[in-house]
Amino acid sequence: MLGIVRRNVGGAGGLYSQGFGRLRPVASAIRNYSSGGKEMTVRDALNSALDEEMAADPNVFVMGEEVGEYQGAYKITKGLLDKYGPERVLDTPITEAGFAGIGVGSAYHGLKPVIEFMTFNFSMQAIDHVINSAAKSNYMSAGQINVPIVFRGPNGPAAGVGAQHSQCYGAWYGSVPGLKVLVPYSSEDARGLLKAAIRDPDPVVFLENELLYGESFPVSAEALDSSFCLPIGKAKIEREGKDITITAFSKMVGYALKAAEILEKDGINAEVINLRSIRPLDRATINASVRKTNRLVTVEEGFPQHGIGAEICASVIEDSFGYLDAPVERVAGADVPTPYAANLERMAFPQIEDIVRAAKRACYRSVPMAASA
Amino acid sequence: MYSLYREPGVLLWRGFTMQEFANQCFGNNIGHGKGRQMPIHYGSKKLNYITISSPLATQLPQAVGMAYSLKMDKKDACVVAFFGDGTTSEGDFHAALNFAAVMDAPVVFICRNNGWAISTQVTEQFRSDGVVVKGQAYGIPSIRVDGNDALAVYNVVRSARETAINEQRPILIEAMTYRVSHHSTSDDSTKYRSKDVIEYWNTVHSPITRLRNWVERKGWWSDKEESELRIHTMKQVKHAIDEAEKEEMPLLRDMFTDVYDDLPSNLMEQETLVRETIQRHPKDFPKDMPL
């Protein structure tokens, strides 16, 4: 079986000694910290990242609905208009297709736009510009036109906002070559990844989460420095474990960590991976983890078909089939447009208990079901 | 009827009851909406009112399409599409107007120009002379009316409807008004405009006050009747809310129905699986879950 494995996915341990220290699976210490007890909300993390990048590079500007005078529909761009003026913080009329197109055009010329969609659900009205222009121009122009643009905004469900405000677009944008797709969870993720996205010469789709904006996380002194940047395409092991791997991104990382605490009490030691990046997907980290634990649960809020979990499952089967002791469990949102009624909405998205049960299913089977036939 | 989200008055006029409004907002089991859509996203097939959709302006090309189908069926009817000043920036608005003109679709476009789109004033939304010139530019007979004058609006709309049906062509009405309320319950508009301005429009130009003055001068209304009506309506609304709150939440099955016309096998399996899971792990789910 081991002979089938061609690619060397080793060195997993080395990828995470980036100075953030090993994590202990203790209740509130599921965040990384090296020094200091400073906490920061994701909202402030994003705001400070935008502020610092705008200060460092005069070509960076922000554009979107209500980003200026209103301080941002979710206050992410608070204070930026006062500090940088209307030439660099542009309030737009209600035309997603318009300002996405204008952003792409300005990026062709060498500016660095940060385009805000009030929710990625509204990016549907501009998706042609994101995909057919931003993603593909560098390739189609044989490298002559690069597009250093960032599209950011809340993605996925919030609370009680119905079908047209709750879809997760990770899988849609994640399938397009030419785009980079990032999914921050903590405040450090938000700071490091947004800064990296703005500095990156390629188009980046930056998927935030409305419910995480107000959540506070500890931030290290290193993360507070204005030169701080996280690498694009590297996942983070939020919690080390040896019995099962749980992959998640954005809000689901928090849920996965809580599920891991519950599993710990039942003697299951779970490793939680915060993907941080959907494209490029950190297949190396995921596969190394599965080779260690032999079991995998993928978690996402989006629809199951053609979702992130489907891709991770395929990647693991291609690279680490021999290491799996149980079928991969996919935990995803229900295959229905999101209902509004609170009781139905709760059933439409993964809850912590769903992750716990999926992990247990993966742990109590030692042989894949088909093999026992 | 294709609305945006500030036209519950239209629906009320058509016959949607206070209780139905409350049921929709609470997303309970007996509302038409089966708890599917957000509050104020009403709909009623019976009353020919298309369920509200959140993305702006998408309803406009759809309204034109529906008007075209009425035209092909030679119906004595037209479509009415409502929207605000902000919506006229969206690409779909321009596509809709252009198509309506070229196809001679019997649709009446009614733009509520209330000066604001959340915190964006019309001067930051467009630099044209309002919305009426845009209709003209596309070759649509367009008219601007004082939106706070109930009688003027009534006359304009009645005339527009006649023209749309008899001459089989689109009409654009721009009703000038002012948004005295906040954009929504998550907004505090005093942050971006002065309280005095809001107060001024709410008193001097209030369409309700103006109509009331006119009706009172005709001898058809009095202060006494006014206060009686207010008390009665408050009671009606409170009763509707109380009743709606008591009702059961939608059933689990309603999460899976209407995704497609027929319930497909994969969703039937999902529903069965969910029920089994709830039975086997009852402590993982809220106790009052209606099954």
Side-chain angles (χ1 to χ4, degrees), chain B residues 258-280:
Chain B
D258 304 324
V259 179
Y260 294 97
D261 201 39
D262 287 322
L263 193 60
S265 60
N266 73 311
L267 286 183
M268 277 198 256
E269 279 170 36
Q270 272 203 23
E271 191 190 337
T272 312
L273 196 61
V274 171
R275 286 183 193 279
E276 281 174 14
T277 309
I278 297 177
Q279 264 190 323
R280 262 188 274 136

mmCIF file with all atom_site columns, all heavy atoms in Angstrom, chain B residues 258-280:
data_model
loop_
_atom_site.group_PDB
_atom_site.id
_atom_site.type_symbol
_atom_site.label_atom_id
_atom_site.label_alt_id
_atom_site.label_comp_id
_atom_site.label_asym_id
_atom_site.label_entity_id
_atom_site.label_seq_id
_atom_site.pdbx_PDB_ins_code
_atom_site.Cartn_x
_atom_site.Cartn_y
_atom_site.Cartn_z
_atom_site.occupancy
_atom_site.B_iso_or_equiv
_atom_site.pdbx_formal_charge
_atom_site.auth_seq_id
_atom_site.auth_comp_id
_atom_site.auth_asym_id
_atom_site.auth_atom_id
_atom_site.pdbx_PDB_model_num
ATOM 1   N N   . ASP B 1 258 ? -39.992 22.213 -1.697  1.00 0.00 ? 258 ASP B N   1
ATOM 2   C CA  . ASP B 1 258 ? -39.905 23.373 -2.584  1.00 0.00 ? 258 ASP B CA  1
ATOM 3   C C   . ASP B 1 258 ? -38.512 23.712 -3.072  1.00 0.00 ? 258 ASP B C   1
ATOM 4   O O   . ASP B 1 258 ? -38.318 24.731 -3.735  1.00 0.00 ? 258 ASP B O   1
ATOM 5   C CB  . ASP B 1 258 ? -40.500 24.645 -1.924  1.00 0.00 ? 258 ASP B CB  1
ATOM 6   C CG  . ASP B 1 258 ? -41.934 24.435 -1.484  1.00 0.00 ? 258 ASP B CG  1
ATOM 7   O OD1 . ASP B 1 258 ? -42.663 23.724 -2.211  1.00 0.00 ? 258 ASP B OD1 1
ATOM 8   O OD2 . ASP B 1 258 ? -42.308 24.955 -0.420  1.00 0.00 ? 258 ASP B OD2 1
ATOM 9   N N   . VAL B 1 259 ? -37.495 22.895 -2.747  1.00 0.00 ? 259 VAL B N   1
ATOM 10  C CA  . VAL B 1 259 ? -36.196 23.137 -3.380  1.00 0.00 ? 259 VAL B CA  1
ATOM 11  C C   . VAL B 1 259 ? -36.382 22.875 -4.866  1.00 0.00 ? 259 VAL B C   1
ATOM 12  O O   . VAL B 1 259 ? -35.936 23.621 -5.726  1.00 0.00 ? 259 VAL B O   1
ATOM 13  C CB  . VAL B 1 259 ? -35.101 22.218 -2.801  1.00 0.00 ? 259 VAL B CB  1
ATOM 14  C CG1 . VAL B 1 259 ? -33.779 22.468 -3.496  1.00 0.00 ? 259 VAL B CG1 1
ATOM 15  C CG2 . VAL B 1 259 ? -34.949 22.440 -1.311  1.00 0.00 ? 259 VAL B CG2 1
ATOM 16  N N   . TYR B 1 260 ? -37.072 21.780 -5.138  1.00 0.00 ? 260 TYR B N   1
ATOM 17  C CA  . TYR B 1 260 ? -37.491 21.477 -6.509  1.00 0.00 ? 260 TYR B CA  1
ATOM 18  C C   . TYR B 1 260 ? -38.996 21.284 -6.477  1.00 0.00 ? 260 TYR B C   1
ATOM 19  O O   . TYR B 1 260 ? -39.611 21.260 -5.422  1.00 0.00 ? 260 TYR B O   1
ATOM 20  C CB  . TYR B 1 260 ? -36.820 20.192 -7.007  1.00 0.00 ? 260 TYR B CB  1
ATOM 21  C CG  . TYR B 1 260 ? -35.338 20.326 -7.150  1.00 0.00 ? 260 TYR B CG  1
ATOM 22  C CD1 . TYR B 1 260 ? -34.486 19.900 -6.142  1.00 0.00 ? 260 TYR B CD1 1
ATOM 23  C CD2 . TYR B 1 260 ? -34.780 20.903 -8.288  1.00 0.00 ? 260 TYR B CD2 1
ATOM 24  C CE1 . TYR B 1 260 ? -33.122 20.038 -6.260  1.00 0.00 ? 260 TYR B CE1 1
ATOM 25  C CE2 . TYR B 1 260 ? -33.417 21.045 -8.415  1.00 0.00 ? 260 TYR B CE2 1
ATOM 26  C CZ  . TYR B 1 260 ? -32.599 20.615 -7.401  1.00 0.00 ? 260 TYR B CZ  1
ATOM 27  O OH  . TYR B 1 260 ? -31.248 20.753 -7.518  1.00 0.00 ? 260 TYR B OH  1
ATOM 28  N N   . ASP B 1 261 ? -39.608 21.101 -7.638  1.00 0.00 ? 261 ASP B N   1
ATOM 29  C CA  . ASP B 1 261 ? -41.045 20.904 -7.702  1.00 0.00 ? 261 ASP B CA  1
ATOM 30  C C   . ASP B 1 261 ? -41.429 19.634 -6.945  1.00 0.00 ? 261 ASP B C   1
ATOM 31  O O   . ASP B 1 261 ? -42.336 19.619 -6.129  1.00 0.00 ? 261 ASP B O   1
ATOM 32  C CB  . ASP B 1 261 ? -41.478 20.825 -9.167  1.00 0.00 ? 261 ASP B CB  1
ATOM 33  C CG  . ASP B 1 261 ? -42.952 21.142 -9.300  1.00 0.00 ? 261 ASP B CG  1
ATOM 34  O OD1 . ASP B 1 261 ? -43.430 22.039 -8.592  1.00 0.00 ? 261 ASP B OD1 1
ATOM 35  O OD2 . ASP B 1 261 ? -43.625 20.486 -10.096 1.00 0.00 ? 261 ASP B OD2 1
ATOM 36  N N   . ASP B 1 262 ? -40.715 18.536 -7.264  1.00 0.00 ? 262 ASP B N   1
ATOM 37  C CA  . ASP B 1 262 ? -40.933 17.277 -6.529  1.00 0.00 ? 262 ASP B CA  1
ATOM 38  C C   . ASP B 1 262 ? -39.786 17.076 -5.565  1.00 0.00 ? 262 ASP B C   1
ATOM 39  O O   . ASP B 1 262 ? -38.648 17.429 -5.874  1.00 0.00 ? 262 ASP B O   1
ATOM 40  C CB  . ASP B 1 262 ? -40.928 16.084 -7.499  1.00 0.00 ? 262 ASP B CB  1
ATOM 41  C CG  . ASP B 1 262 ? -42.191 16.040 -8.323  1.00 0.00 ? 262 ASP B CG  1
ATOM 42  O OD1 . ASP B 1 262 ? -43.249 16.356 -7.767  1.00 0.00 ? 262 ASP B OD1 1
ATOM 43  O OD2 . ASP B 1 262 ? -42.086 15.695 -9.517  1.00 0.00 ? 262 ASP B OD2 1
ATOM 44  N N   . LEU B 1 263 ? -40.047 16.483 -4.435  1.00 0.00 ? 263 LEU B N   1
ATOM 45  C CA  . LEU B 1 263 ? -38.985 16.224 -3.463  1.00 0.00 ? 263 LEU B CA  1
ATOM 46  C C   . LEU B 1 263 ? -38.060 15.131 -4.021  1.00 0.00 ? 263 LEU B C   1
ATOM 47  O O   . LEU B 1 263 ? -38.480 13.998 -4.211  1.00 0.00 ? 263 LEU B O   1
ATOM 48  C CB  . LEU B 1 263 ? -39.615 15.765 -2.149  1.00 0.00 ? 263 LEU B CB  1
ATOM 49  C CG  . LEU B 1 263 ? -38.735 15.737 -0.908  1.00 0.00 ? 263 LEU B CG  1
ATOM 50  C CD1 . LEU B 1 263 ? -38.200 17.119 -0.612  1.00 0.00 ? 263 LEU B CD1 1
ATOM 51  C CD2 . LEU B 1 263 ? -39.533 15.225 0.275   1.00 0.00 ? 263 LEU B CD2 1
ATOM 52  N N   . PRO B 1 264 ? -36.800 15.480 -4.323  1.00 0.00 ? 264 PRO B N   1
ATOM 53  C CA  . PRO B 1 264 ? -35.917 14.485 -4.927  1.00 0.00 ? 264 PRO B CA  1
ATOM 54  C C   . PRO B 1 264 ? -35.448 13.462 -3.899  1.00 0.00 ? 264 PRO B C   1
ATOM 55  O O   . PRO B 1 264 ? -35.491 13.708 -2.703  1.00 0.00 ? 264 PRO B O   1
ATOM 56  C CB  . PRO B 1 264 ? -34.734 15.316 -5.436  1.00 0.00 ? 264 PRO B CB  1
ATOM 57  C CG  . PRO B 1 264 ? -34.734 16.531 -4.610  1.00 0.00 ? 264 PRO B CG  1
ATOM 58  C CD  . PRO B 1 264 ? -36.132 16.782 -4.140  1.00 0.00 ? 264 PRO B CD  1
ATOM 59  N N   . SER B 1 265 ? -34.969 12.339 -4.404  1.00 0.00 ? 265 SER B N   1
ATOM 60  C CA  . SER B 1 265 ? -34.632 11.251 -3.484  1.00 0.00 ? 265 SER B CA  1
ATOM 61  C C   . SER B 1 265 ? -33.516 11.622 -2.528  1.00 0.00 ? 265 SER B C   1
ATOM 62  O O   . SER B 1 265 ? -33.527 11.226 -1.369  1.00 0.00 ? 265 SER B O   1
ATOM 63  C CB  . SER B 1 265 ? -34.257 9.996  -4.272  1.00 0.00 ? 265 SER B CB  1
ATOM 64  O OG  . SER B 1 265 ? -33.140 10.284 -5.090  1.00 0.00 ? 265 SER B OG  1
ATOM 65  N N   . ASN B 1 266 ? -32.539 12.412 -2.987  1.00 0.00 ? 266 ASN B N   1
ATOM 66  C CA  . ASN B 1 266 ? -31.434 12.710 -2.070  1.00 0.00 ? 266 ASN B CA  1
ATOM 67  C C   . ASN B 1 266 ? -31.911 13.558 -0.886  1.00 0.00 ? 266 ASN B C   1
ATOM 68  O O   . ASN B 1 266 ? -31.441 13.396 0.238   1.00 0.00 ? 266 ASN B O   1
ATOM 69  C CB  . ASN B 1 266 ? -30.264 13.390 -2.791  1.00 0.00 ? 266 ASN B CB  1
ATOM 70  C CG  . ASN B 1 266 ? -30.538 14.832 -3.161  1.00 0.00 ? 266 ASN B CG  1
ATOM 71  O OD1 . ASN B 1 266 ? -31.582 15.137 -3.743  1.00 0.00 ? 266 ASN B OD1 1
ATOM 72  N ND2 . ASN B 1 266 ? -29.633 15.734 -2.836  1.00 0.00 ? 266 ASN B ND2 1
ATOM 73  N N   . LEU B 1 267 ? -32.887 14.434 -1.126  1.00 0.00 ? 267 LEU B N   1
ATOM 74  C CA  . LEU B 1 267 ? -33.393 15.237 -0.012  1.00 0.00 ? 267 LEU B CA  1
ATOM 75  C C   . LEU B 1 267 ? -34.284 14.399 0.893   1.00 0.00 ? 267 LEU B C   1
ATOM 76  O O   . LEU B 1 267 ? -34.325 14.608 2.099   1.00 0.00 ? 267 LEU B O   1
ATOM 77  C CB  . LEU B 1 267 ? -34.128 16.474 -0.524  1.00 0.00 ? 267 LEU B CB  1
ATOM 78  C CG  . LEU B 1 267 ? -33.213 17.573 -1.082  1.00 0.00 ? 267 LEU B CG  1
ATOM 79  C CD1 . LEU B 1 267 ? -34.027 18.780 -1.505  1.00 0.00 ? 267 LEU B CD1 1
ATOM 80  C CD2 . LEU B 1 267 ? -32.170 18.002 -0.058  1.00 0.00 ? 267 LEU B CD2 1
ATOM 81  N N   . MET B 1 268 ? -35.004 13.446 0.303   1.00 0.00 ? 268 MET B N   1
ATOM 82  C CA  . MET B 1 268 ? -35.827 12.551 1.146   1.00 0.00 ? 268 MET B CA  1
ATOM 83  C C   . MET B 1 268 ? -34.900 11.774 2.073   1.00 0.00 ? 268 MET B C   1
ATOM 84  O O   . MET B 1 268 ? -35.177 11.612 3.262   1.00 0.00 ? 268 MET B O   1
ATOM 85  C CB  . MET B 1 268 ? -36.615 11.568 0.273   1.00 0.00 ? 268 MET B CB  1
ATOM 86  C CG  . MET B 1 268 ? -37.887 12.152 -0.281  1.00 0.00 ? 268 MET B CG  1
ATOM 87  S SD  . MET B 1 268 ? -39.008 10.856 -0.824  1.00 0.00 ? 268 MET B SD  1
ATOM 88  C CE  . MET B 1 268 ? -38.784 10.962 -2.586  1.00 0.00 ? 268 MET B CE  1
ATOM 89  N N   . GLU B 1 269 ? -33.766 11.300 1.503   1.00 0.00 ? 269 GLU B N   1
ATOM 90  C CA  . GLU B 1 269 ? -32.784 10.573 2.329   1.00 0.00 ? 269 GLU B CA  1
ATOM 91  C C   . GLU B 1 269 ? -32.249 11.459 3.432   1.00 0.00 ? 269 GLU B C   1
ATOM 92  O O   . GLU B 1 269 ? -32.115 11.048 4.574   1.00 0.00 ? 269 GLU B O   1
ATOM 93  C CB  . GLU B 1 269 ? -31.602 10.115 1.480   1.00 0.00 ? 269 GLU B CB  1
ATOM 94  C CG  . GLU B 1 269 ? -31.830 8.842  0.694   1.00 0.00 ? 269 GLU B CG  1
ATOM 95  C CD  . GLU B 1 269 ? -30.699 8.609  -0.307  1.00 0.00 ? 269 GLU B CD  1
ATOM 96  O OE1 . GLU B 1 269 ? -29.536 8.929  0.029   1.00 0.00 ? 269 GLU B OE1 1
ATOM 97  O OE2 . GLU B 1 269 ? -30.991 8.121  -1.404  1.00 0.00 ? 269 GLU B OE2 1
ATOM 98  N N   . GLN B 1 270 ? -31.900 12.718 3.055   1.00 0.00 ? 270 GLN B N   1
ATOM 99  C CA  . GLN B 1 270 ? -31.374 13.647 4.061   1.00 0.00 ? 270 GLN B CA  1
ATOM 100 C C   . GLN B 1 270 ? -32.372 13.840 5.180   1.00 0.00 ? 270 GLN B C   1
ATOM 101 O O   . GLN B 1 270 ? -32.011 13.857 6.352   1.00 0.00 ? 270 GLN B O   1
ATOM 102 C CB  . GLN B 1 270 ? -31.080 15.017 3.435   1.00 0.00 ? 270 GLN B CB  1
ATOM 103 C CG  . GLN B 1 270 ? -29.703 15.133 2.867   1.00 0.00 ? 270 GLN B CG  1
ATOM 104 C CD  . GLN B 1 270 ? -29.210 16.571 2.768   1.00 0.00 ? 270 GLN B CD  1
ATOM 105 O OE1 . GLN B 1 270 ? -29.663 17.475 3.462   1.00 0.00 ? 270 GLN B OE1 1
ATOM 106 N NE2 . GLN B 1 270 ? -28.262 16.784 1.895   1.00 0.00 ? 270 GLN B NE2 1
ATOM 107 N N   . GLU B 1 271 ? -33.640 13.986 4.810   1.00 0.00 ? 271 GLU B N   1
ATOM 108 C CA  . GLU B 1 271 ? -34.646 14.228 5.841   1.00 0.00 ? 271 GLU B CA  1
ATOM 109 C C   . GLU B 1 271 ? -34.762 13.011 6.758   1.00 0.00 ? 271 GLU B C   1
ATOM 110 O O   . GLU B 1 271 ? -34.819 13.147 7.977   1.00 0.00 ? 271 GLU B O   1
ATOM 111 C CB  . GLU B 1 271 ? -36.000 14.523 5.200   1.00 0.00 ? 271 GLU B CB  1
ATOM 112 C CG  . GLU B 1 271 ? -36.994 15.049 6.228   1.00 0.00 ? 271 GLU B CG  1
ATOM 113 C CD  . GLU B 1 271 ? -38.401 15.118 5.685   1.00 0.00 ? 271 GLU B CD  1
ATOM 114 O OE1 . GLU B 1 271 ? -38.550 15.192 4.447   1.00 0.00 ? 271 GLU B OE1 1
ATOM 115 O OE2 . GLU B 1 271 ? -39.347 15.095 6.491   1.00 0.00 ? 271 GLU B OE2 1
ATOM 116 N N   . THR B 1 272 ? -34.780 11.818 6.153   1.00 0.00 ? 272 THR B N   1
ATOM 117 C CA  . THR B 1 272 ? -34.864 10.596 6.976   1.00 0.00 ? 272 THR B CA  1
ATOM 118 C C   . THR B 1 272 ? -33.670 10.514 7.915   1.00 0.00 ? 272 THR B C   1
ATOM 119 O O   . THR B 1 272 ? -33.807 10.222 9.100   1.00 0.00 ? 272 THR B O   1
ATOM 120 C CB  . THR B 1 272 ? -34.864 9.352  6.070   1.00 0.00 ? 272 THR B CB  1
ATOM 121 O OG1 . THR B 1 272 ? -35.802 9.549  5.027   1.00 0.00 ? 272 THR B OG1 1
ATOM 122 C CG2 . THR B 1 272 ? -35.211 8.100  6.852   1.00 0.00 ? 272 THR B CG2 1
ATOM 123 N N   . LEU B 1 273 ? -32.486 10.815 7.357   1.00 0.00 ? 273 LEU B N   1
ATOM 124 C CA  . LEU B 1 273 ? -31.263 10.757 8.159   1.00 0.00 ? 273 LEU B CA  1
ATOM 125 C C   . LEU B 1 273 ? -31.328 11.741 9.320   1.00 0.00 ? 273 LEU B C   1
ATOM 126 O O   . LEU B 1 273 ? -30.955 11.428 10.454  1.00 0.00 ? 273 LEU B O   1
ATOM 127 C CB  . LEU B 1 273 ? -30.076 11.089 7.252   1.00 0.00 ? 273 LEU B CB  1
ATOM 128 C CG  . LEU B 1 273 ? -28.690 10.733 7.771   1.00 0.00 ? 273 LEU B CG  1
ATOM 129 C CD1 . LEU B 1 273 ? -28.605 9.244  7.992   1.00 0.00 ? 273 LEU B CD1 1
ATOM 130 C CD2 . LEU B 1 273 ? -27.637 11.179 6.779   1.00 0.00 ? 273 LEU B CD2 1
ATOM 131 N N   . VAL B 1 274 ? -31.834 12.956 9.034   1.00 0.00 ? 274 VAL B N   1
ATOM 132 C CA  . VAL B 1 274 ? -31.925 13.961 10.096  1.00 0.00 ? 274 VAL B CA  1
ATOM 133 C C   . VAL B 1 274 ? -32.862 13.477 11.202  1.00 0.00 ? 274 VAL B C   1
ATOM 134 O O   . VAL B 1 274 ? -32.552 13.592 12.386  1.00 0.00 ? 274 VAL B O   1
ATOM 135 C CB  . VAL B 1 274 ? -32.431 15.301 9.529   1.00 0.00 ? 274 VAL B CB  1
ATOM 136 C CG1 . VAL B 1 274 ? -32.736 16.275 10.644  1.00 0.00 ? 274 VAL B CG1 1
ATOM 137 C CG2 . VAL B 1 274 ? -31.386 15.908 8.605   1.00 0.00 ? 274 VAL B CG2 1
ATOM 138 N N   . ARG B 1 275 ? -34.014 12.934 10.798  1.00 0.00 ? 275 ARG B N   1
ATOM 139 C CA  . ARG B 1 275 ? -34.964 12.465 11.818  1.00 0.00 ? 275 ARG B CA  1
ATOM 140 C C   . ARG B 1 275 ? -34.353 11.360 12.672  1.00 0.00 ? 275 ARG B C   1
ATOM 141 O O   . ARG B 1 275 ? -34.512 11.334 13.893  1.00 0.00 ? 275 ARG B O   1
ATOM 142 C CB  . ARG B 1 275 ? -36.243 11.974 11.156  1.00 0.00 ? 275 ARG B CB  1
ATOM 143 C CG  . ARG B 1 275 ? -37.110 13.097 10.646  1.00 0.00 ? 275 ARG B CG  1
ATOM 144 C CD  . ARG B 1 275 ? -38.410 12.586 10.048  1.00 0.00 ? 275 ARG B CD  1
ATOM 145 N NE  . ARG B 1 275 ? -39.059 13.656 9.314   1.00 0.00 ? 275 ARG B NE  1
ATOM 146 C CZ  . ARG B 1 275 ? -39.803 14.612 9.864   1.00 0.00 ? 275 ARG B CZ  1
ATOM 147 N NH1 . ARG B 1 275 ? -40.000 14.614 11.160  1.00 0.00 ? 275 ARG B NH1 1
ATOM 148 N NH2 . ARG B 1 275 ? -40.346 15.553 9.129   1.00 0.00 ? 275 ARG B NH2 1
ATOM 149 N N   . GLU B 1 276 ? -33.643 10.419 11.992  1.00 0.00 ? 276 GLU B N   1
ATOM 150 C CA  . GLU B 1 276 ? -32.999 9.340  12.760  1.00 0.00 ? 276 GLU B CA  1
ATOM 151 C C   . GLU B 1 276 ? -31.986 9.905  13.730  1.00 0.00 ? 276 GLU B C   1
ATOM 152 O O   . GLU B 1 276 ? -31.889 9.488  14.882  1.00 0.00 ? 276 GLU B O   1
ATOM 153 C CB  . GLU B 1 276 ? -32.273 8.384  11.805  1.00 0.00 ? 276 GLU B CB  1
ATOM 154 C CG  . GLU B 1 276 ? -33.173 7.395  11.104  1.00 0.00 ? 276 GLU B CG  1
ATOM 155 C CD  . GLU B 1 276 ? -32.408 6.583  10.059  1.00 0.00 ? 276 GLU B CD  1
ATOM 156 O OE1 . GLU B 1 276 ? -31.157 6.615  10.070  1.00 0.00 ? 276 GLU B OE1 1
ATOM 157 O OE2 . GLU B 1 276 ? -33.080 5.936  9.243   1.00 0.00 ? 276 GLU B OE2 1
ATOM 158 N N   . THR B 1 277 ? -31.221 10.878 13.245  1.00 0.00 ? 277 THR B N   1
ATOM 159 C CA  . THR B 1 277 ? -30.183 11.464 14.102  1.00 0.00 ? 277 THR B CA  1
ATOM 160 C C   . THR B 1 277 ? -30.802 12.133 15.318  1.00 0.00 ? 277 THR B C   1
ATOM 161 O O   . THR B 1 277 ? -30.313 11.993 16.432  1.00 0.00 ? 277 THR B O   1
ATOM 162 C CB  . THR B 1 277 ? -29.369 12.484 13.301  1.00 0.00 ? 277 THR B CB  1
ATOM 163 O OG1 . THR B 1 277 ? -28.939 11.887 12.088  1.00 0.00 ? 277 THR B OG1 1
ATOM 164 C CG2 . THR B 1 277 ? -28.160 12.957 14.083  1.00 0.00 ? 277 THR B CG2 1
ATOM 165 N N   . ILE B 1 278 ? -31.908 12.881 15.081  1.00 0.00 ? 278 ILE B N   1
ATOM 166 C CA  . ILE B 1 278 ? -32.561 13.559 16.209  1.00 0.00 ? 278 ILE B CA  1
ATOM 167 C C   . ILE B 1 278 ? -33.071 12.527 17.210  1.00 0.00 ? 278 ILE B C   1
ATOM 168 O O   . ILE B 1 278 ? -32.962 12.698 18.420  1.00 0.00 ? 278 ILE B O   1
ATOM 169 C CB  . ILE B 1 278 ? -33.715 14.454 15.724  1.00 0.00 ? 278 ILE B CB  1
ATOM 170 C CG1 . ILE B 1 278 ? -33.189 15.577 14.827  1.00 0.00 ? 278 ILE B CG1 1
ATOM 171 C CG2 . ILE B 1 278 ? -34.462 15.048 16.911  1.00 0.00 ? 278 ILE B CG2 1
ATOM 172 C CD1 . ILE B 1 278 ? -34.261 16.454 14.244  1.00 0.00 ? 278 ILE B CD1 1
ATOM 173 N N   . GLN B 1 279 ? -33.600 11.412 16.697  1.00 0.00 ? 279 GLN B N   1
ATOM 174 C CA  . GLN B 1 279 ? -34.104 10.367 17.607  1.00 0.00 ? 279 GLN B CA  1
ATOM 175 C C   . GLN B 1 279 ? -32.986 9.752  18.418  1.00 0.00 ? 279 GLN B C   1
ATOM 176 O O   . GLN B 1 279 ? -33.133 9.498  19.612  1.00 0.00 ? 279 GLN B O   1
ATOM 177 C CB  . GLN B 1 279 ? -34.767 9.259  16.781  1.00 0.00 ? 279 GLN B CB  1
ATOM 178 C CG  . GLN B 1 279 ? -36.256 9.422  16.675  1.00 0.00 ? 279 GLN B CG  1
ATOM 179 C CD  . GLN B 1 279 ? -36.875 8.190  16.057  1.00 0.00 ? 279 GLN B CD  1
ATOM 180 O OE1 . GLN B 1 279 ? -36.317 7.566  15.162  1.00 0.00 ? 279 GLN B OE1 1
ATOM 181 N NE2 . GLN B 1 279 ? -38.031 7.819  16.557  1.00 0.00 ? 279 GLN B NE2 1
ATOM 182 N N   . ARG B 1 280 ? -31.843 9.496  17.743  1.00 0.00 ? 280 ARG B N   1
ATOM 183 C CA  . ARG B 1 280 ? -30.764 8.795  18.436  1.00 0.00 ? 280 ARG B CA  1
ATOM 184 C C   . ARG B 1 280 ? -29.973 9.714  19.365  1.00 0.00 ? 280 ARG B C   1
ATOM 185 O O   . ARG B 1 280 ? -29.367 9.258  20.317  1.00 0.00 ? 280 ARG B O   1
ATOM 186 C CB  . ARG B 1 280 ? -29.806 8.177  17.419  1.00 0.00 ? 280 ARG B CB  1
ATOM 187 C CG  . ARG B 1 280 ? -30.092 6.702  17.178  1.00 0.00 ? 280 ARG B CG  1
ATOM 188 C CD  . ARG B 1 280 ? -29.021 6.050  16.329  1.00 0.00 ? 280 ARG B CD  1
ATOM 189 N NE  . ARG B 1 280 ? -29.265 6.206  14.909  1.00 0.00 ? 280 ARG B NE  1
ATOM 190 C CZ  . ARG B 1 280 ? -28.316 6.540  14.028  1.00 0.00 ? 280 ARG B CZ  1
ATOM 191 N NH1 . ARG B 1 280 ? -27.094 6.746  14.428  1.00 0.00 ? 280 ARG B NH1 1
ATOM 192 N NH2 . ARG B 1 280 ? -28.623 6.675  12.752  1.00 0.00 ? 280 ARG B NH2 1
#
